[in-house]
Amino acid sequence: MQLSPIEFKLLWKLSLTITVGTIALFWIIHYLILQTEQRVSFIDKQEQKQLIDYARHAEMLFLQGEDENWQIGSHISSSRKTLVLH
């Protein structure tokens, strides 16, 4: 079956629309999941920010290739157990 040029253009437009729509849908779902996770968290806002800062710092070290010497230790601070990167 041979597609006419008009049918071929319509097929490509339809395919592109479905592809962009699917990507947008998954991006929106991902965004909503992250927002919901932050809002229902039992961790204080300040501690959430500190965890995000730790993650950024760890990612920076990883990208610089300094991740091989990480040691995960723990210490007790104000009766809360926290993980510390040495």
Side-chain angles (χ1 to χ4, degrees):
M1 178 179 168
Q2 185 77 11
L3 292 176
S4 69
I6 294 175
E7 291 173 330
F8 189 73
K9 266 179 113 171
L10 184 60
L11 178 64
W12 273 108
K13 285 181 182 180
L14 180 63
S15 298
L16 184 64
T17 302
I18 291 172
T19 302
V20 170
T22 302
I23 292 170
L25 175 66
F26 278 94
W27 181 82
I28 290 169
I29 290 171
H30 176 73
Y31 176 78
L32 291 174
I33 287 171
L34 291 179
Q35 291 299 313
T36 302
E37 191 176 282
Q38 289 291 322
R39 288 185 182 146
V40 300
S41 176
F42 293 109
I43 301 173
D44 293 334
K45 295 289 183 195
Q46 182 180 1
E47 292 173 352
Q48 285 181 14
K49 184 183 178 317
Q50 186 176 15
L51 288 172
I52 291 170
D53 291 341
Y54 285 157
R56 287 185 182 136
H57 180 68
E59 182 180 15
M60 182 187 68
L61 292 175
F62 176 77
L63 292 174
Q64 292 174 354
E66 299 178 21
D67 61 319
E68 296 170 0
N69 297 325
W70 286 358
Q71 295 176 356
I72 298 178
S74 63
H75 72 281
I76 305 294
S77 169
S78 68
S79 75
R80 295 183 185 177
K81 192 166 187 172
T82 57
L83 294 177
V84 178
L85 292 176
H86 294 280

Coordinates of all heavy atoms in Angstrom, one line a residue:
M1 N 0.8 -1.2 0.0 CA 0.0 0.0 0.0 C 0.9 1.2 0.0 O 1.7 1.4 0.9 CB -0.9 0.0 1.2 CG -1.8 1.2 1.4 SD -2.8 1.0 2.8 CE -3.4 2.6 3.0
Q2 N 0.7 2.1 -0.9 CA 1.5 3.3 -1.1 C 0.7 4.5 -0.5 O -0.5 4.7 -0.8 CB 1.7 3.5 -2.6 CG 2.6 4.7 -2.9 CD 4.1 4.4 -2.7 OE1 4.4 3.3 -2.5 NE2 4.9 5.4 -2.8
L3 N 1.4 5.3 0.3 CA 0.8 6.4 0.9 C 0.9 7.6 0.0 O 2.0 7.8 -0.6 CB 1.4 6.8 2.3 CG 1.2 5.8 3.4 CD1 1.9 6.2 4.7 CD2 -0.3 5.7 3.8
S4 N -0.1 8.4 -0.1 CA 0.0 9.6 -0.9 C 0.8 10.6 -0.1 O 0.9 10.5 1.1 CB -1.4 10.2 -1.2 OG -2.0 10.6 -0.1
P5 N 1.3 11.7 -0.7 CA 2.1 12.7 0.0 C 1.3 13.3 1.2 O 1.8 13.6 2.2 CB 2.5 13.7 -1.0 CG 2.5 13.0 -2.3 CD 1.4 11.9 -2.2
I6 N 0.0 13.5 0.9 CA -0.8 14.2 2.0 C -1.0 13.2 3.2 O -0.9 13.6 4.3 CB -2.2 14.6 1.4 CG1 -2.0 15.7 0.4 CG2 -3.1 15.0 2.5 CD1 -3.2 16.1 -0.3
E7 N -1.2 11.9 2.9 CA -1.4 10.9 3.9 C 0.0 10.8 4.7 O 0.0 10.6 5.9 CB -1.8 9.6 3.4 CG -3.2 9.6 2.8 CD -3.5 8.3 2.1 OE1 -2.6 7.7 1.5 OE2 -4.7 7.9 2.1
F8 N 1.1 10.8 4.0 CA 2.4 10.7 4.6 C 2.6 11.9 5.6 O 3.1 11.7 6.7 CB 3.5 10.6 3.5 CG 4.8 10.3 4.0 CD1 5.1 9.0 4.5 CD2 5.8 11.2 4.1 CE1 6.4 8.7 4.9 CE2 7.1 10.9 4.6 CZ 7.3 9.6 5.0
K9 N 2.3 13.1 5.1 CA 2.5 14.3 6.0 C 1.6 14.2 7.2 O 2.0 14.5 8.3 CB 2.1 15.5 5.2 CG 3.3 16.3 4.6 CD 2.7 17.5 3.8 CE 3.2 18.7 4.5 NZ 2.9 19.9 3.7
L10 N 0.4 13.7 7.0 CA -0.6 13.6 8.1 C -0.1 12.5 9.1 O -0.1 12.7 10.3 CB -1.9 13.2 7.6 CG -3.1 13.1 8.6 CD1 -3.3 14.4 9.3 CD2 -4.3 12.6 8.0
L11 N 0.5 11.4 8.6 CA 1.0 10.4 9.5 C 2.2 10.9 10.3 O 2.3 10.7 11.5 CB 1.5 9.2 8.6 CG 2.2 8.1 9.4 CD1 1.2 7.4 10.3 CD2 2.7 7.0 8.4
W12 N 3.1 11.7 9.7 CA 4.2 12.3 10.4 C 3.7 13.3 11.5 O 4.2 13.4 12.6 CB 5.2 13.0 9.5 CG 6.2 12.0 9.0 CD1 6.3 11.4 7.8 CD2 7.3 11.3 9.8 NE1 7.3 10.5 7.7 CE2 7.9 10.5 9.0 CE3 7.7 11.5 11.1 CZ2 9.0 9.7 9.4 CZ3 8.7 10.7 11.6 CH2 9.4 9.8 10.7
K13 N 2.8 14.1 11.1 CA 2.2 15.1 12.1 C 1.6 14.4 13.3 O 1.8 14.7 14.4 CB 1.2 16.0 11.4 CG 1.8 17.1 10.6 CD 0.7 17.9 10.0 CE 1.3 19.0 9.0 NZ 0.3 19.8 8.4
L14 N 0.8 13.3 13.0 CA 0.2 12.5 14.0 C 1.2 11.9 14.9 O 1.1 11.9 16.2 CB -0.7 11.5 13.4 CG -1.5 10.6 14.4 CD1 -2.4 11.4 15.3 CD2 -2.3 9.5 13.6
S15 N 2.2 11.3 14.3 CA 3.3 10.6 15.1 C 4.1 11.6 16.0 O 4.4 11.4 17.1 CB 4.3 9.9 14.1 OG 3.7 8.9 13.4
L16 N 4.4 12.8 15.4 CA 5.1 13.8 16.2 C 4.2 14.3 17.3 O 4.7 14.5 18.5 CB 5.5 15.0 15.3 CG 6.3 16.1 15.9 CD1 7.6 15.6 16.4 CD2 6.5 17.2 14.9
T17 N 2.9 14.5 17.1 CA 2.0 15.0 18.1 C 1.9 14.0 19.3 O 2.0 14.3 20.5 CB 0.6 15.2 17.6 OG1 0.7 16.2 16.5 CG2 -0.3 15.7 18.6
I18 N 1.8 12.7 18.9 CA 1.7 11.6 19.9 C 3.0 11.6 20.7 O 3.0 11.4 22.0 CB 1.4 10.3 19.3 CG1 -0.1 10.3 18.8 CG2 1.6 9.1 20.3 CD1 -0.5 9.1 18.0
T19 N 4.2 11.7 20.1 CA 5.5 11.6 20.7 C 5.7 12.8 21.7 O 6.0 12.6 22.8 CB 6.6 11.6 19.7 OG1 6.4 10.5 18.8 CG2 8.0 11.5 20.3
V20 N 5.4 14.0 21.2 CA 5.6 15.2 22.1 C 4.6 15.1 23.2 O 4.9 15.4 24.4 CB 5.4 16.5 21.3 CG1 5.4 17.7 22.2 CG2 6.6 16.6 20.3
G21 N 3.4 14.7 23.0 CA 2.4 14.6 24.0 C 2.8 13.6 25.1 O 2.6 13.8 26.3
T22 N 3.3 12.4 24.7 CA 3.7 11.4 25.6 C 4.9 11.9 26.5 O 4.9 11.7 27.7 CB 4.1 10.1 24.8 OG1 3.0 9.7 24.0 CG2 4.6 9.0 25.8
I23 N 5.9 12.5 25.9 CA 7.0 13.1 26.6 C 6.5 14.1 27.6 O 6.9 14.1 28.8 CB 8.1 13.6 25.7 CG1 8.7 12.5 24.9 CG2 9.1 14.5 26.4 CD1 9.6 13.0 23.8
A24 N 5.6 15.0 27.2 CA 5.1 16.0 28.1 C 4.3 15.4 29.2 O 4.4 15.8 30.4 CB 4.2 17.0 27.3
L25 N 3.5 14.4 28.9 CA 2.7 13.7 30.0 C 3.7 13.1 31.0 O 3.5 13.3 32.2 CB 1.9 12.6 29.4 CG 1.1 11.7 30.3 CD1 0.0 12.6 31.1 CD2 0.4 10.6 29.6
F26 N 4.7 12.4 30.6 CA 5.7 11.8 31.6 C 6.4 12.8 32.4 O 6.7 12.7 33.5 CB 6.6 10.8 30.9 CG 6.0 9.5 30.6 CD1 5.4 9.2 29.4 CD2 6.1 8.5 31.6 CE1 4.8 7.9 29.2 CE2 5.5 7.3 31.5 CZ 4.9 7.0 30.2
W27 N 6.8 14.0 31.7 CA 7.4 15.1 32.4 C 6.5 15.6 33.5 O 6.9 15.9 34.6 CB 7.9 16.1 31.5 CG 8.6 17.3 32.2 CD1 9.9 17.3 32.5 CD2 8.0 18.5 32.6 NE1 10.2 18.5 33.2 CE2 9.1 19.2 33.2 CE3 6.8 19.0 32.6 CZ2 8.8 20.5 33.8 CZ3 6.6 20.3 33.1 CH2 7.6 21.0 33.7
I28 N 5.3 15.8 33.2 CA 4.3 16.4 34.1 C 4.1 15.4 35.3 O 4.1 15.8 36.5 CB 2.9 16.7 33.4 CG1 3.1 17.9 32.5 CG2 1.8 17.0 34.4 CD1 2.0 18.2 31.6
I29 N 4.0 14.1 35.0 CA 3.8 13.1 36.0 C 5.0 13.1 37.0 O 4.9 13.1 38.2 CB 3.6 11.7 35.4 CG1 2.2 11.7 34.8 CG2 3.7 10.6 36.5 CD1 2.0 10.4 34.0
H30 N 6.2 13.2 36.4 CA 7.5 13.2 37.2 C 7.5 14.5 38.1 O 7.8 14.4 39.3 CB 8.7 13.2 36.3 CG 10.0 13.3 36.9 ND1 10.5 12.3 37.7 CD2 10.8 14.4 37.0 CE1 11.7 12.7 38.2 NE2 11.9 14.0 37.8
Y31 N 7.1 15.6 37.5 CA 7.1 16.9 38.3 C 6.1 16.8 39.4 O 6.4 17.1 40.6 CB 6.8 18.0 37.4 CG 6.6 19.3 38.1 CD1 7.7 20.1 38.5 CD2 5.3 19.8 38.4 CE1 7.6 21.3 39.1 CE2 5.2 21.0 39.0 CZ 6.3 21.8 39.4 OH 6.2 22.9 40.1
L32 N 4.9 16.2 39.2 CA 3.9 16.1 40.2 C 4.3 15.2 41.3 O 4.1 15.4 42.5 CB 2.6 15.7 39.6 CG 1.9 16.8 38.8 CD1 0.6 16.2 38.1 CD2 1.6 18.0 39.6
I33 N 5.0 14.1 40.9 CA 5.5 13.1 41.9 C 6.5 13.8 42.9 O 6.5 13.6 44.1 CB 6.1 11.9 41.3 CG1 5.0 11.0 40.7 CG2 6.9 11.1 42.2 CD1 5.5 9.9 39.8
L34 N 7.4 14.5 42.3 CA 8.4 15.2 43.1 C 7.8 16.2 44.0 O 8.2 16.4 45.2 CB 9.5 15.9 42.2 CG 10.4 15.0 41.4 CD1 11.4 15.8 40.6 CD2 11.2 14.1 42.4
Q35 N 6.8 17.0 43.5 CA 6.2 18.0 44.3 C 5.4 17.3 45.5 O 5.4 17.8 46.6 CB 5.2 18.9 43.5 CG 5.9 19.8 42.5 CD 6.8 20.8 43.3 OE1 6.4 21.4 44.2 NE2 8.0 20.9 42.8
T36 N 4.7 16.3 45.2 CA 3.9 15.5 46.2 C 4.8 15.0 47.3 O 4.6 15.0 48.5 CB 3.1 14.4 45.6 OG1 2.2 15.0 44.6 CG2 2.3 13.7 46.6
E37 N 6.0 14.4 46.8 CA 6.9 13.8 47.7 C 7.5 14.9 48.7 O 7.6 14.6 49.9 CB 8.1 13.2 46.9 CG 9.0 12.4 47.7 CD 10.1 11.8 46.8 OE1 9.7 10.8 46.1 OE2 11.2 12.3 46.8
Q38 N 7.7 16.1 48.2 CA 8.2 17.2 49.1 C 7.1 17.6 50.1 O 7.4 17.9 51.2 CB 8.7 18.4 48.2 CG 9.9 18.1 47.4 CD 11.1 18.0 48.3 OE1 11.2 18.7 49.3 NE2 12.0 17.1 48.0
R39 N 5.9 17.7 49.6 CA 4.8 18.2 50.5 C 4.4 17.3 51.6 O 4.0 17.7 52.6 CB 3.6 18.6 49.6 CG 3.9 19.8 48.8 CD 2.7 20.3 48.0 NE 3.0 21.4 47.2 CZ 2.5 21.7 46.0 NH1 1.6 20.9 45.5 NH2 2.9 22.8 45.3
V40 N 4.4 16.0 51.3 CA 4.0 15.1 52.3 C 5.1 14.5 53.2 O 4.9 13.6 54.0 CB 3.2 13.9 51.7 CG1 1.9 14.4 51.0 CG2 4.0 13.0 50.8
S41 N 6.3 15.0 53.0 CA 7.5 14.5 53.7 C 7.3 14.9 55.2 O 6.9 16.0 55.5 CB 8.7 15.1 53.1 OG 9.8 14.7 53.9
F42 N 7.8 14.0 56.1 CA 7.8 14.3 57.5 C 9.1 15.0 57.9 O 9.3 15.3 59.1 CB 7.6 13.0 58.3 CG 6.3 12.4 58.1 CD1 6.2 11.2 57.4 CD2 5.2 13.0 58.6 CE1 4.9 10.7 57.2 CE2 3.9 12.4 58.5 CZ 3.8 11.2 57.7
I43 N 10.0 15.3 57.0 CA 11.3 15.9 57.3 C 11.0 17.4 57.2 O 10.4 17.9 56.3 CB 12.3 15.5 56.3 CG1 12.5 14.0 56.3 CG2 13.6 16.2 56.5 CD1 13.5 13.4 55.2
D44 N 11.6 18.1 58.2 CA 11.5 19.6 58.2 C 12.0 20.2 56.9 O 12.9 19.7 56.3 CB 12.2 20.2 59.4 CG 11.6 19.8 60.7 OD1 10.4 19.5 60.7 OD2 12.3 19.8 61.7
K45 N 11.5 21.4 56.6 CA 12.0 22.1 55.4 C 13.5 22.3 55.4 O 14.2 22.2 54.4 CB 11.2 23.4 55.2 CG 9.7 23.2 55.0 CD 9.5 22.7 53.6 CE 8.0 22.6 53.4 NZ 7.6 21.8 52.3
Q46 N 14.0 22.8 56.6 CA 15.4 23.1 56.7 C 16.2 21.8 56.5 O 17.3 21.8 55.8 CB 15.7 23.7 58.0 CG 17.1 24.1 58.2 CD 17.4 24.7 59.6 OE1 16.5 24.8 60.4 NE2 18.6 25.1 59.8
E47 N 15.8 20.7 57.0 CA 16.5 19.4 56.8 C 16.4 18.9 55.4 O 17.3 18.3 54.9 CB 16.0 18.4 57.8 CG 16.4 18.8 59.3 CD 15.8 17.9 60.3 OE1 14.9 17.0 60.0 OE2 16.2 18.0 61.5
Q48 N 15.3 19.2 54.7 CA 15.1 18.8 53.3 C 16.1 19.6 52.5 O 16.8 19.0 51.6 CB 13.7 19.1 52.8 CG 12.7 18.2 53.3 CD 11.3 18.5 52.7 OE1 11.2 19.3 51.8 NE2 10.3 17.9 53.3
K49 N 16.3 20.9 52.8 CA 17.2 21.7 52.1 C 18.6 21.2 52.3 O 19.5 21.1 51.4 CB 17.1 23.2 52.5 CG 18.0 24.1 51.7 CD 18.0 25.5 52.2 CE 18.9 26.5 51.5 NZ 20.2 26.0 51.3
Q50 N 18.9 20.8 53.5 CA 20.3 20.3 53.8 C 20.5 19.0 53.1 O 21.6 18.8 52.5 CB 20.4 20.0 55.4 CG 21.8 19.7 55.8 CD 21.9 19.5 57.3 OE1 20.9 19.4 58.0 NE2 23.2 19.5 57.8
L51 N 19.6 18.1 53.0 CA 19.7 16.9 52.2 C 19.9 17.2 50.7 O 20.8 16.5 50.1 CB 18.5 16.0 52.4 CG 18.4 15.3 53.8 CD1 17.0 14.6 53.9 CD2 19.5 14.3 54.0
I52 N 19.2 18.1 50.2 CA 19.4 18.5 48.8 C 20.8 19.1 48.6 O 21.5 18.8 47.6 CB 18.3 19.5 48.4 CG1 17.0 18.8 48.3 CG2 18.7 20.2 47.0 CD1 15.8 19.8 48.2
D53 N 21.3 19.9 49.6 CA 22.7 20.4 49.5 C 23.7 19.3 49.5 O 24.7 19.3 48.8 CB 22.9 21.4 50.6 CG 22.2 22.7 50.4 OD1 21.7 23.0 49.3 OD2 22.0 23.4 51.4
Y54 N 23.5 18.3 50.4 CA 24.4 17.1 50.4 C 24.4 16.4 49.1 O 25.4 16.0 48.6 CB 23.9 16.1 51.5 CG 24.2 16.5 52.9 CD1 23.5 16.0 54.0 CD2 25.2 17.4 53.2 CE1 23.7 16.4 55.3 CE2 25.5 17.8 54.6 CZ 24.7 17.3 55.6 OH 25.0 17.6 56.9
A55 N 23.2 16.2 48.5 CA 23.1 15.5 47.2 C 23.9 16.3 46.1 O 24.6 15.7 45.3 CB 21.7 15.4 46.8
R56 N 23.7 17.6 46.1 CA 24.4 18.4 45.1 C 25.9 18.3 45.3 O 26.7 18.2 44.4 CB 24.0 19.9 45.2 CG 22.6 20.1 44.6 CD 22.2 21.6 44.6 NE 20.9 21.7 44.1 CZ 20.0 22.5 44.7 NH1 20.3 23.3 45.7 NH2 18.8 22.6 44.2
H57 N 26.4 18.4 46.6 CA 27.8 18.3 46.9 C 28.3 16.9 46.4 O 29.4 16.8 45.8 CB 28.0 18.5 48.4 CG 29.5 18.4 48.8 ND1 30.4 19.3 48.4 CD2 30.1 17.5 49.5 CE1 31.6 19.0 48.9 NE2 31.4 17.9 49.5
A58 N 27.6 15.8 46.8 CA 28.0 14.5 46.4 C 28.0 14.4 44.8 O 29.0 13.7 44.3 CB 27.0 13.5 47.0
E59 N 27.1 14.9 44.1 CA 27.1 14.9 42.7 C 28.3 15.6 42.1 O 28.9 15.2 41.2 CB 25.8 15.5 42.1 CG 25.7 15.4 40.6 CD 24.5 16.1 40.1 OE1 23.7 16.8 40.8 OE2 24.2 15.8 38.9
M60 N 28.6 16.8 42.7 CA 29.8 17.5 42.3 C 31.1 16.7 42.5 O 31.9 16.6 41.6 CB 29.9 18.8 43.1 CG 31.1 19.7 42.6 SD 31.3 21.2 43.7 CE 31.8 20.4 45.2
L61 N 31.2 16.1 43.6 CA 32.4 15.2 43.9 C 32.4 14.0 42.9 O 33.5 13.7 42.4 CB 32.4 14.7 45.3 CG 32.6 15.7 46.4 CD1 32.4 15.1 47.8 CD2 34.0 16.4 46.2
F62 N 31.2 13.5 42.6 CA 31.2 12.3 41.7 C 31.6 12.8 40.3 O 32.4 12.1 39.6 CB 29.8 11.8 41.6 CG 29.6 10.7 40.6 CD1 30.0 9.4 40.9 CD2 28.9 10.9 39.4 CE1 29.9 8.4 39.9 CE2 28.8 9.9 38.5 CZ 29.2 8.7 38.7
L63 N 31.1 13.9 39.8 CA 31.5 14.4 38.5 C 33.0 14.8 38.4 O 33.5 14.7 37.3 CB 30.6 15.6 38.1 CG 29.1 15.3 37.9 CD1 28.3 16.6 37.7 CD2 28.9 14.3 36.8
Q64 N 33.6 15.1 39.5 CA 35.0 15.5 39.5 C 35.8 14.2 39.7 O 37.1 14.3 39.7 CB 35.3 16.4 40.7 CG 34.7 17.8 40.5 CD 34.9 18.7 41.7 OE1 35.4 18.3 42.7 NE2 34.6 20.0 41.5
G65 N 35.2 13.0 39.9 CA 35.9 11.8 40.0 C 36.4 11.5 41.4 O 37.3 10.7 41.6
E66 N 35.9 12.2 42.4 CA 36.4 12.0 43.7 C 35.5 11.1 44.6 O 35.5 11.2 45.8 CB 36.5 13.4 44.4 CG 37.5 14.3 43.7 CD 37.6 15.7 44.4 OE1 37.2 15.8 45.6 OE2 38.1 16.6 43.7
D67 N 34.7 10.3 43.9 CA 33.8 9.5 44.7 C 34.4 8.2 45.2 O 33.8 7.5 46.0 CB 32.6 9.2 43.8 CG 33.0 8.4 42.5 OD1 34.0 8.8 41.9 OD2 32.3 7.5 42.1
E68 N 35.6 7.8 44.8 CA 36.2 6.6 45.2 C 36.6 6.5 46.6 O 36.6 5.5 47.2 CB 37.4 6.3 44.3 CG 37.0 6.1 42.8 CD 38.2 6.0 41.9 OE1 39.4 6.1 42.5 OE2 38.0 5.9 40.7
N69 N 36.8 7.7 47.2 CA 37.3 7.7 48.6 C 36.2 8.1 49.6 O 36.5 8.4 50.8 CB 38.4 8.8 48.7 CG 39.6 8.4 47.9 OD1 39.9 7.2 47.8 ND2 40.3 9.4 47.3
W70 N 34.9 8.0 49.2 CA 33.8 8.3 50.1 C 33.8 7.2 51.2 O 33.9 6.0 51.0 CB 32.5 8.3 49.4 CG 32.3 9.5 48.5 CD1 33.1 10.5 48.4 CD2 31.2 9.7 47.7 NE1 32.6 11.4 47.5 CE2 31.4 11.0 47.1 CE3 30.0 9.1 47.5 CZ2 30.5 11.5 46.2 CZ3 29.1 9.6 46.6 CH2 29.3 10.8 46.0
Q71 N 33.5 7.7 52.4 CA 33.2 6.8 53.5 C 32.0 7.3 54.1 O 31.8 8.5 54.4 CB 34.3 6.8 54.5 CG 35.6 6.2 54.0 CD 36.7 6.3 55.1 OE1 36.5 6.9 56.1 NE2 37.9 5.8 54.7
I72 N 31.0 6.4 54.4 CA 29.8 6.9 55.1 C 29.9 6.5 56.5 O 30.1 5.4 56.9 CB 28.6 6.2 54.4 CG1 28.5 6.6 53.0 CG2 27.3 6.6 55.2 CD1 27.3 6.0 52.3
G73 N 29.9 7.6 57.3 CA 29.9 7.4 58.8 C 28.7 8.0 59.4 O 27.8 8.5 58.7
S74 N 28.5 7.8 60.7 CA 27.4 8.4 61.3 C 27.8 9.0 62.7 O 28.8 8.5 63.3 CB 26.3 7.3 61.5 OG 26.8 6.3 62.4
H75 N 27.1 9.9 63.1 CA 27.3 10.5 64.4 C 25.9 10.9 64.9 O 25.0 11.1 64.2 CB 28.3 11.7 64.3 CG 27.7 12.9 63.7 ND1 27.6 13.1 62.3 CD2 27.2 14.0 64.2 CE1 27.1 14.2 62.0 NE2 26.8 14.8 63.2
I76 N 25.9 11.1 66.2 CA 24.6 11.5 66.9 C 24.7 13.0 67.1 O 25.6 13.5 67.7 CB 24.4 10.7 68.2 CG1 24.5 9.2 68.0 CG2 23.1 11.1 68.9 CD1 23.4 8.6 67.2
S77 N 23.7 13.7 66.6 CA 23.6 15.1 66.8 C 22.2 15.4 67.3 O 21.2 15.1 66.6 CB 23.9 15.8 65.5 OG 23.6 17.2 65.6
S78 N 22.1 16.0 68.4 CA 20.8 16.4 69.0 C 19.8 15.2 68.9 O 18.7 15.4 68.5 CB 20.2 17.6 68.3 OG 19.9 17.4 67.0
S79 N 20.2 14.1 69.4 CA 19.4 12.9 69.5 C 18.9 12.4 68.1 O 17.9 11.7 68.1 CB 18.3 13.0 70.5 OG 17.3 13.8 69.9
R80 N 19.5 12.8 67.0 CA 19.1 12.4 65.7 C 20.3 11.7 65.0 O 21.4 12.3 65.1 CB 18.6 13.5 64.8 CG 17.4 14.2 65.3 CD 16.9 15.2 64.4 NE 15.8 15.9 65.0 CZ 15.2 16.9 64.4 NH1 15.7 17.4 63.3 NH2 14.2 17.5 65.0
K81 N 20.1 10.6 64.4 CA 21.2 10.0 63.7 C 21.3 10.5 62.3 O 20.3 10.5 61.6 CB 21.0 8.4 63.7 CG 22.2 7.7 63.3 CD 22.0 6.2 63.6 CE 23.3 5.6 63.3 NZ 23.3 4.2 63.7
T82 N 22.4 10.9 61.9 CA 22.6 11.5 60.5 C 23.8 10.8 59.9 O 24.7 10.4 60.5 CB 22.8 13.0 60.6 OG1 24.0 13.3 61.4 CG2 21.6 13.7 61.2
L83 N 23.8 10.8 58.6 CA 24.9 10.3 57.8 C 25.8 11.4 57.4 O 25.3 12.5 57.0 CB 24.4 9.5 56.6 CG 23.6 8.3 56.8 CD1 23.1 7.7 55.5 CD2 24.4 7.2 57.6
V84 N 27.1 11.1 57.4 CA 28.0 12.2 57.1 C 29.0 11.6 56.0 O 29.5 10.5 56.2 CB 28.8 12.6 58.3 CG1 29.9 13.6 57.9 CG2 27.9 13.1 59.4
L85 N 29.3 12.4 55.0 CA 30.3 12.0 54.0 C 31.7 12.5 54.6 O 31.8 13.7 54.8 CB 30.0 12.6 52.7 CG 28.8 12.0 51.9 CD1 28.6 12.8 50.6 CD2 29.0 10.6 51.7
H86 N 32.6 11.7 54.7 CA 34.0 12.1 55.1 C 34.9 12.3 53.9 O 34.9 11.6 53.0 CB 34.6 11.0 56.0 CG 33.9 10.8 57.3 ND1 34.1 11.7 58.4 CD2 33.0 9.9 57.7 CE1 33.3 11.3 59.4 NE2 32.7 10.2 59.0

